[in-house]
Amino acid sequence: MDHRFARRRLGRLMLAAVMAWLLTGCAVLPPPAMVGVLPGADQVRDRLEARRQAVKSFSLLGEIVAKGPGGEVAGEHRILGQYPDRLRAEIDGPFGKPALLLICDGTRLAVLNYGEGKGYLGPASRANLSRFLGLLLTPAEIYTLLSGSIPLLPAEGGQVFASSVPGQAVLNLSDDAGFKQGVIFSPGDYSVFQSWINDRDGGEISANFSDFVSLPAGRFPRRMLLMAGEGRELTLANDRLTINPPGLDPARFEPVLPPGVEVQELP
């Protein structure tokens, strides 16, 4: 027993001596393990922009819910897009009844409201698109959002921060006009989870992307929620999502309405 006690006491003395030697600075402690270095803001902007431009066309099919001051409307959507700002949206209401046809070639807009039995033709301006979609956006901005990317502020630089969620980071941008933008993205493949932009007057528009699926062109969201002021929301839940489908006919984006439809010119 005395021998075992002596060995234990000797071991404790040796351990104390080693710890004292380390604490005196005679030994160099190993650095902490690196968990990854975040990319710079300029690199993030370049990669997000490259991802946006890689989507030359898309095809979406699924459910749509639009909310606004006038209430909520739900239905099904079939949406085609061709880079950079061509759009064709066919919206059906309850029981598959056609509700809205919207065609945009980037410059001109044609809309057929089946409920009114009336068509509309005019410039593809923010105001005219907002009249039917509830979002004050350009055709190119709408195309970008529907393709799973986000329009970025034309601002140089910015800041990148780590997120509290593993596998995510945050890009903050601001410009000289007082606009501020935040983007939550994946540093791995630069897919976007969320983005918001504020203006000087306190207004905000935000986009949330979820339910990602891996496609040959990368990882893309099947579900997106777009929110603007006055409680306006647009939700798309895509049962089918195709990125860069082959053989998309450009003629499908010509803003032409069926003959015999009463047409109102948009300003």
Side-chain angles (χ1 to χ4, degrees), residues 223-255:
R223 184 179 181 87
M224 58 193 71
L225 169 62
L226 308 178
M227 295 180 290
E230 299 180 348
R232 298 182 185 274
E233 295 183 4
L234 184 65
T235 302
L236 298 179
N238 297 304
D239 299 319
R240 289 196 324 201
L241 165 64
T242 306
I243 300 297
N244 298 330
L248 198 58
D249 187 359
R252 304 202 66 182
F253 303 99
E254 295 179 2

mmCIF file of all heavy atoms in Angstrom, residues 223-255:
data_model
loop_
_atom_site.group_PDB
_atom_site.id
_atom_site.type_symbol
_atom_site.label_atom_id
_atom_site.label_comp_id
_atom_site.label_asym_id
_atom_site.label_seq_id
_atom_site.Cartn_x
_atom_site.Cartn_y
_atom_site.Cartn_z
ATOM 1 N N ARG A 223 -39.456 26.672 -52.803
ATOM 2 C CA ARG A 223 -40.432 27.530 -52.131
ATOM 3 C C ARG A 223 -39.830 28.910 -51.918
ATOM 4 O O ARG A 223 -38.681 29.035 -51.484
ATOM 5 C CB ARG A 223 -40.845 26.932 -50.786
ATOM 6 C CG ARG A 223 -41.933 27.737 -50.066
ATOM 7 C CD ARG A 223 -42.309 27.080 -48.745
ATOM 8 N NE ARG A 223 -43.357 27.816 -48.057
ATOM 9 C CZ ARG A 223 -44.662 27.648 -48.256
ATOM 10 N NH1 ARG A 223 -45.065 26.741 -49.130
ATOM 11 N NH2 ARG A 223 -45.562 28.355 -47.601
ATOM 12 N N MET A 224 -40.594 29.946 -52.213
ATOM 13 C CA MET A 224 -40.131 31.309 -52.007
ATOM 14 C C MET A 224 -41.280 32.178 -51.515
ATOM 15 O O MET A 224 -42.437 32.011 -51.928
ATOM 16 C CB MET A 224 -39.530 31.885 -53.286
ATOM 17 C CG MET A 224 -40.431 31.920 -54.492
ATOM 18 S SD MET A 224 -39.513 32.278 -56.019
ATOM 19 C CE MET A 224 -38.589 30.746 -56.231
ATOM 20 N N LEU A 225 -40.942 33.087 -50.617
ATOM 21 C CA LEU A 225 -41.901 34.021 -50.047
ATOM 22 C C LEU A 225 -41.365 35.426 -50.255
ATOM 23 O O LEU A 225 -40.280 35.761 -49.774
ATOM 24 C CB LEU A 225 -42.098 33.740 -48.557
ATOM 25 C CG LEU A 225 -42.872 34.792 -47.746
ATOM 26 C CD1 LEU A 225 -44.297 34.940 -48.265
ATOM 27 C CD2 LEU A 225 -42.872 34.433 -46.264
ATOM 28 N N LEU A 226 -42.115 36.241 -50.975
ATOM 29 C CA LEU A 226 -41.749 37.629 -51.230
ATOM 30 C C LEU A 226 -42.693 38.521 -50.432
ATOM 31 O O LEU A 226 -43.918 38.363 -50.516
ATOM 32 C CB LEU A 226 -41.850 37.954 -52.724
ATOM 33 C CG LEU A 226 -41.117 36.998 -53.668
ATOM 34 C CD1 LEU A 226 -41.339 37.425 -55.121
ATOM 35 C CD2 LEU A 226 -39.638 36.934 -53.345
ATOM 36 N N MET A 227 -42.134 39.455 -49.671
ATOM 37 C CA MET A 227 -42.943 40.323 -48.808
ATOM 38 C C MET A 227 -42.598 41.781 -49.061
ATOM 39 O O MET A 227 -41.426 42.133 -49.228
ATOM 40 C CB MET A 227 -42.699 39.976 -47.337
ATOM 41 C CG MET A 227 -43.169 38.579 -46.954
ATOM 42 S SD MET A 227 -42.878 38.192 -45.199
ATOM 43 C CE MET A 227 -41.085 38.067 -45.184
ATOM 44 N N ALA A 228 -43.627 42.625 -49.089
ATOM 45 C CA ALA A 228 -43.456 44.063 -49.282
ATOM 46 C C ALA A 228 -44.338 44.793 -48.284
ATOM 47 O O ALA A 228 -44.951 44.183 -47.407
ATOM 48 C CB ALA A 228 -43.782 44.455 -50.716
ATOM 49 N N GLY A 229 -44.422 46.104 -48.436
ATOM 50 C CA GLY A 229 -45.201 46.917 -47.511
ATOM 51 C C GLY A 229 -46.688 46.660 -47.600
ATOM 52 O O GLY A 229 -47.193 45.993 -48.518
ATOM 53 N N GLU A 230 -47.433 47.162 -46.611
ATOM 54 C CA GLU A 230 -48.889 47.040 -46.524
ATOM 55 C C GLU A 230 -49.333 45.588 -46.448
ATOM 56 O O GLU A 230 -50.431 45.232 -46.886
ATOM 57 C CB GLU A 230 -49.568 47.734 -47.713
ATOM 58 C CG GLU A 230 -49.275 49.228 -47.788
ATOM 59 C CD GLU A 230 -49.963 49.874 -48.975
ATOM 60 O OE1 GLU A 230 -50.469 49.147 -49.844
ATOM 61 O OE2 GLU A 230 -50.007 51.119 -49.017
ATOM 62 N N GLY A 231 -48.476 44.726 -45.902
ATOM 63 C CA GLY A 231 -48.837 43.325 -45.735
ATOM 64 C C GLY A 231 -48.917 42.531 -47.018
ATOM 65 O O GLY A 231 -49.553 41.462 -47.059
ATOM 66 N N ARG A 232 -48.267 42.992 -48.062
ATOM 67 C CA ARG A 232 -48.298 42.275 -49.337
ATOM 68 C C ARG A 232 -47.335 41.093 -49.300
ATOM 69 O O ARG A 232 -46.172 41.241 -48.945
ATOM 70 C CB ARG A 232 -47.938 43.213 -50.487
ATOM 71 C CG ARG A 232 -48.907 44.376 -50.648
ATOM 72 C CD ARG A 232 -48.515 45.246 -51.830
ATOM 73 N NE ARG A 232 -49.360 46.425 -51.929
ATOM 74 C CZ ARG A 232 -50.540 46.448 -52.557
ATOM 75 N NH1 ARG A 232 -51.002 45.346 -53.123
ATOM 76 N NH2 ARG A 232 -51.255 47.565 -52.596
ATOM 77 N N GLU A 233 -47.843 39.925 -49.675
ATOM 78 C CA GLU A 233 -47.029 38.719 -49.701
ATOM 79 C C GLU A 233 -47.350 37.903 -50.956
ATOM 80 O O GLU A 233 -48.501 37.856 -51.401
ATOM 81 C CB GLU A 233 -47.289 37.844 -48.473
ATOM 82 C CG GLU A 233 -46.895 38.458 -47.156
ATOM 83 C CD GLU A 233 -47.118 37.515 -45.990
ATOM 84 O OE1 GLU A 233 -47.510 36.349 -46.251
ATOM 85 O OE2 GLU A 233 -46.898 37.922 -44.849
ATOM 86 N N LEU A 234 -46.315 37.275 -51.500
ATOM 87 C CA LEU A 234 -46.488 36.384 -52.640
ATOM 88 C C LEU A 234 -45.684 35.122 -52.354
ATOM 89 O O LEU A 234 -44.463 35.182 -52.187
ATOM 90 C CB LEU A 234 -46.002 37.043 -53.927
ATOM 91 C CG LEU A 234 -46.210 36.249 -55.223
ATOM 92 C CD1 LEU A 234 -47.706 36.081 -55.505
ATOM 93 C CD2 LEU A 234 -45.524 36.930 -56.399
ATOM 94 N N THR A 235 -46.379 33.989 -52.258
ATOM 95 C CA THR A 235 -45.742 32.709 -51.953
ATOM 96 C C THR A 235 -45.862 31.774 -53.148
ATOM 97 O O THR A 235 -46.961 31.591 -53.688
ATOM 98 C CB THR A 235 -46.385 32.046 -50.724
ATOM 99 O OG1 THR A 235 -46.293 32.925 -49.606
ATOM 100 C CG2 THR A 235 -45.678 30.742 -50.396
ATOM 101 N N LEU A 236 -44.750 31.191 -53.546
ATOM 102 C CA LEU A 236 -44.733 30.188 -54.599
ATOM 103 C C LEU A 236 -44.177 28.895 -54.024
ATOM 104 O O LEU A 236 -43.085 28.886 -53.430
ATOM 105 C CB LEU A 236 -43.857 30.634 -55.776
ATOM 106 C CG LEU A 236 -44.266 31.902 -56.520
ATOM 107 C CD1 LEU A 236 -43.268 32.202 -57.631
ATOM 108 C CD2 LEU A 236 -45.652 31.765 -57.102
ATOM 109 N N ALA A 237 -44.930 27.820 -54.173
ATOM 110 C CA ALA A 237 -44.474 26.491 -53.763
ATOM 111 C C ALA A 237 -44.458 25.622 -55.014
ATOM 112 O O ALA A 237 -45.517 25.248 -55.532
ATOM 113 C CB ALA A 237 -45.390 25.905 -52.695
ATOM 114 N N ASN A 238 -43.262 25.342 -55.513
ATOM 115 C CA ASN A 238 -43.112 24.672 -56.800
ATOM 116 C C ASN A 238 -43.048 23.153 -56.640
ATOM 117 O O ASN A 238 -42.154 22.633 -55.979
ATOM 118 C CB ASN A 238 -41.842 25.165 -57.501
ATOM 119 C CG ASN A 238 -41.892 26.643 -57.812
ATOM 120 O OD1 ASN A 238 -42.808 27.119 -58.476
ATOM 121 N ND2 ASN A 238 -40.905 27.386 -57.327
ATOM 122 N N ASP A 239 -44.019 22.480 -57.247
ATOM 123 C CA ASP A 239 -43.946 21.026 -57.318
ATOM 124 C C ASP A 239 -42.916 20.587 -58.351
ATOM 125 O O ASP A 239 -42.273 19.552 -58.196
ATOM 126 C CB ASP A 239 -45.314 20.444 -57.680
ATOM 127 C CG ASP A 239 -46.372 20.783 -56.634
ATOM 128 O OD1 ASP A 239 -46.042 20.730 -55.436
ATOM 129 O OD2 ASP A 239 -47.507 21.117 -57.016
ATOM 130 N N ARG A 240 -42.791 21.379 -59.399
ATOM 131 C CA ARG A 240 -41.791 21.102 -60.442
ATOM 132 C C ARG A 240 -40.983 22.358 -60.684
ATOM 133 O O ARG A 240 -41.533 23.450 -60.819
ATOM 134 C CB ARG A 240 -42.460 20.637 -61.740
ATOM 135 C CG ARG A 240 -43.053 19.250 -61.654
ATOM 136 C CD ARG A 240 -43.364 18.647 -62.999
ATOM 137 N NE ARG A 240 -43.844 19.600 -63.984
ATOM 138 C CZ ARG A 240 -44.547 19.242 -65.062
ATOM 139 N NH1 ARG A 240 -44.874 17.984 -65.249
ATOM 140 N NH2 ARG A 240 -44.940 20.151 -65.917
ATOM 141 N N LEU A 241 -39.682 22.196 -60.718
ATOM 142 C CA LEU A 241 -38.755 23.302 -60.920
ATOM 143 C C LEU A 241 -37.680 22.840 -61.894
ATOM 144 O O LEU A 241 -36.970 21.869 -61.625
ATOM 145 C CB LEU A 241 -38.138 23.716 -59.581
ATOM 146 C CG LEU A 241 -36.900 24.607 -59.623
ATOM 147 C CD1 LEU A 241 -37.234 25.955 -60.242
ATOM 148 C CD2 LEU A 241 -36.332 24.792 -58.222
ATOM 149 N N THR A 242 -37.584 23.524 -63.020
ATOM 150 C CA THR A 242 -36.587 23.186 -64.021
ATOM 151 C C THR A 242 -35.749 24.419 -64.319
ATOM 152 O O THR A 242 -36.294 25.487 -64.617
ATOM 153 C CB THR A 242 -37.237 22.690 -65.327
ATOM 154 O OG1 THR A 242 -38.135 21.612 -65.031
ATOM 155 C CG2 THR A 242 -36.178 22.197 -66.302
ATOM 156 N N ILE A 243 -34.438 24.278 -64.212
ATOM 157 C CA ILE A 243 -33.522 25.367 -64.496
ATOM 158 C C ILE A 243 -32.850 25.102 -65.839
ATOM 159 O O ILE A 243 -32.370 24.007 -66.098
ATOM 160 C CB ILE A 243 -32.452 25.502 -63.395
ATOM 161 C CG1 ILE A 243 -33.125 25.781 -62.041
ATOM 162 C CG2 ILE A 243 -31.456 26.601 -63.731
ATOM 163 C CD1 ILE A 243 -33.891 27.071 -61.975
ATOM 164 N N ASN A 244 -32.858 26.111 -66.702
ATOM 165 C CA ASN A 244 -32.303 26.037 -68.057
ATOM 166 C C ASN A 244 -32.931 24.905 -68.874
ATOM 167 O O ASN A 244 -32.229 24.053 -69.424
ATOM 168 C CB ASN A 244 -30.776 25.870 -68.003
ATOM 169 C CG ASN A 244 -30.091 27.050 -67.347
ATOM 170 O OD1 ASN A 244 -30.574 28.177 -67.408
ATOM 171 N ND2 ASN A 244 -28.956 26.794 -66.702
ATOM 172 N N PRO A 245 -34.268 24.879 -68.967
ATOM 173 C CA PRO A 245 -34.909 23.844 -69.785
ATOM 174 C C PRO A 245 -34.574 24.061 -71.255
ATOM 175 O O PRO A 245 -34.502 25.193 -71.734
ATOM 176 C CB PRO A 245 -36.403 24.064 -69.524
ATOM 177 C CG PRO A 245 -36.506 25.513 -69.149
ATOM 178 C CD PRO A 245 -35.249 25.823 -68.398
ATOM 179 N N PRO A 246 -34.377 22.989 -72.010
ATOM 180 C CA PRO A 246 -34.039 23.140 -73.427
ATOM 181 C C PRO A 246 -35.272 23.477 -74.268
ATOM 182 O O PRO A 246 -36.403 23.138 -73.919
ATOM 183 C CB PRO A 246 -33.495 21.752 -73.791
ATOM 184 C CG PRO A 246 -34.187 20.812 -72.846
ATOM 185 C CD PRO A 246 -34.381 21.582 -71.570
ATOM 186 N N GLY A 247 -35.025 24.158 -75.382
ATOM 187 C CA GLY A 247 -36.076 24.384 -76.376
ATOM 188 C C GLY A 247 -37.174 25.327 -75.965
ATOM 189 O O GLY A 247 -38.323 25.171 -76.414
ATOM 190 N N LEU A 248 -36.879 26.305 -75.134
ATOM 191 C CA LEU A 248 -37.899 27.271 -74.731
ATOM 192 C C LEU A 248 -38.124 28.265 -75.871
ATOM 193 O O LEU A 248 -37.209 28.968 -76.294
ATOM 194 C CB LEU A 248 -37.456 28.001 -73.461
ATOM 195 C CG LEU A 248 -38.527 28.718 -72.649
ATOM 196 C CD1 LEU A 248 -39.619 27.744 -72.222
ATOM 197 C CD2 LEU A 248 -37.916 29.367 -71.422
ATOM 198 N N ASP A 249 -39.354 28.328 -76.392
ATOM 199 C CA ASP A 249 -39.676 29.140 -77.559
ATOM 200 C C ASP A 249 -39.771 30.622 -77.170
ATOM 201 O O ASP A 249 -40.618 30.996 -76.344
ATOM 202 C CB ASP A 249 -41.000 28.672 -78.153
ATOM 203 C CG ASP A 249 -41.322 29.356 -79.476
ATOM 204 O OD1 ASP A 249 -40.522 30.203 -79.922
ATOM 205 O OD2 ASP A 249 -42.377 29.036 -80.054
ATOM 206 N N PRO A 250 -38.937 31.494 -77.752
ATOM 207 C CA PRO A 250 -39.018 32.931 -77.429
ATOM 208 C C PRO A 250 -40.372 33.551 -77.763
ATOM 209 O O PRO A 250 -40.752 34.565 -77.172
ATOM 210 C CB PRO A 250 -37.898 33.548 -78.281
ATOM 211 C CG PRO A 250 -36.960 32.417 -78.572
ATOM 212 C CD PRO A 250 -37.831 31.201 -78.666
ATOM 213 N N ALA A 251 -41.111 32.952 -78.697
ATOM 214 C CA ALA A 251 -42.405 33.503 -79.086
ATOM 215 C C ALA A 251 -43.413 33.474 -77.931
ATOM 216 O O ALA A 251 -44.387 34.233 -77.943
ATOM 217 C CB ALA A 251 -42.965 32.727 -80.272
ATOM 218 N N ARG A 252 -43.178 32.640 -76.934
ATOM 219 C CA ARG A 252 -44.103 32.560 -75.808
ATOM 220 C C ARG A 252 -44.056 33.806 -74.931
ATOM 221 O O ARG A 252 -44.916 33.993 -74.066
ATOM 222 C CB ARG A 252 -43.809 31.319 -74.967
ATOM 223 C CG ARG A 252 -43.835 30.007 -75.745
ATOM 224 C CD ARG A 252 -44.079 28.845 -74.843
ATOM 225 N NE ARG A 252 -45.423 28.887 -74.261
ATOM 226 C CZ ARG A 252 -45.883 27.996 -73.386
ATOM 227 N NH1 ARG A 252 -45.100 27.004 -72.986
ATOM 228 N NH2 ARG A 252 -47.092 28.091 -72.896
ATOM 229 N N PHE A 253 -43.055 34.649 -75.147
ATOM 230 C CA PHE A 253 -42.915 35.859 -74.346
ATOM 231 C C PHE A 253 -43.313 37.113 -75.123
ATOM 232 O O PHE A 253 -43.068 38.230 -74.654
ATOM 233 C CB PHE A 253 -41.473 35.983 -73.854
ATOM 234 C CG PHE A 253 -41.015 34.782 -73.056
ATOM 235 C CD1 PHE A 253 -40.258 33.798 -73.656
ATOM 236 C CD2 PHE A 253 -41.373 34.636 -71.732
ATOM 237 C CE1 PHE A 253 -39.837 32.688 -72.934
ATOM 238 C CE2 PHE A 253 -40.959 33.539 -70.996
ATOM 239 C CZ PHE A 253 -40.191 32.561 -71.611
ATOM 240 N N GLU A 254 -43.940 36.943 -76.277
ATOM 241 C CA GLU A 254 -44.421 38.088 -77.030
ATOM 242 C C GLU A 254 -45.721 38.592 -76.392
ATOM 243 O O GLU A 254 -46.671 37.821 -76.222
ATOM 244 C CB GLU A 254 -44.660 37.714 -78.488
ATOM 245 C CG GLU A 254 -43.377 37.330 -79.227
ATOM 246 C CD GLU A 254 -43.653 36.944 -80.664
ATOM 247 O OE1 GLU A 254 -44.835 37.021 -81.092
ATOM 248 O OE2 GLU A 254 -42.698 36.554 -81.357
ATOM 249 N N PRO A 255 -45.784 39.868 -76.000
ATOM 250 C CA PRO A 255 -46.957 40.403 -75.292
ATOM 251 C C PRO A 255 -48.148 40.615 -76.228
ATOM 252 O O PRO A 255 -48.486 41.736 -76.613
ATOM 253 C CB PRO A 255 -46.443 41.724 -74.719
ATOM 254 C CG PRO A 255 -45.349 42.129 -75.656
ATOM 255 C CD PRO A 255 -44.720 40.861 -76.156
#
